Amino acid sequence: DLPSAKKKIVFPQIDGVTGEPFVLGSVVIQRSALFTIGCLLMAAALLWWFVNRTRTGRAMQAVSQDPDTARLMGIDVDRIIVIAFAIGVVEGCDGCIASHGQAAARAGATEQEAAEAIGVTFLMHGGPATIHGARAFETFRGFVAGASA
């Protein structure tokens, strides 16, 4: 039996996340709020680890500070810019998409490379990335057309 717009779909109740709230005096703290804060802290820790402890993260730092020097050090600057562009798509960050899309166009990334990076974001983030990915590709194409005009 498939769900329809007329049928109420019940969200599963997970006691640790949706159970009774914590009450501390006059303050009521929902379990879902604590779960959200925990997920955000874990995401922040993973982001810190990625940026500071992986080769790609360190390369992103180097490229953001001085792309020419990073290139001289053997870093594939174009690859790093396309990775940053893809991360902007996954996060749905319009400013990131515009900034990194422009940088990718200036670095000479092809439409094929941009499309492949955006395709990876579909696999990483699913539905939302399809919305941002389409906009990002059009943004990239606009920067490419502007650079060639």
Side-chain angles (χ1 to χ4, degrees), residues 41-102:
L41 290 173
M42 188 181 331
L46 285 171
L47 178 63
W48 178 89
W49 174 82
F50 174 74
V51 170
N52 292 296
R53 298 288 184 209
T54 66
R55 279 185 97 133
T56 303
R58 302 291 292 209
M60 290 176 104
Q61 290 181 46
V63 170
S64 72
Q65 291 179 15
D66 190 346
D68 294 329
T69 302
R71 187 173 276 115
L72 290 172
M73 294 173 60
I75 295 172
D76 185 351
V77 172
D78 300 340
R79 180 179 147 268
I80 297 299
I81 290 172
V82 171
I83 289 171
F85 181 56
I87 291 171
V89 173
V90 168
E91 294 304 316
C93 172
D94 290 331
C96 301
I97 289 168
S99 173
H100 297 303
Q102 184 179 35

Side-chain angles (χ1 to χ4, degrees), residues 1-9:
D1 189 32
L2 295 174
S4 69
K6 295 178 183 177
K7 199 185 261 187
K8 182 178 179 182
I9 300 173

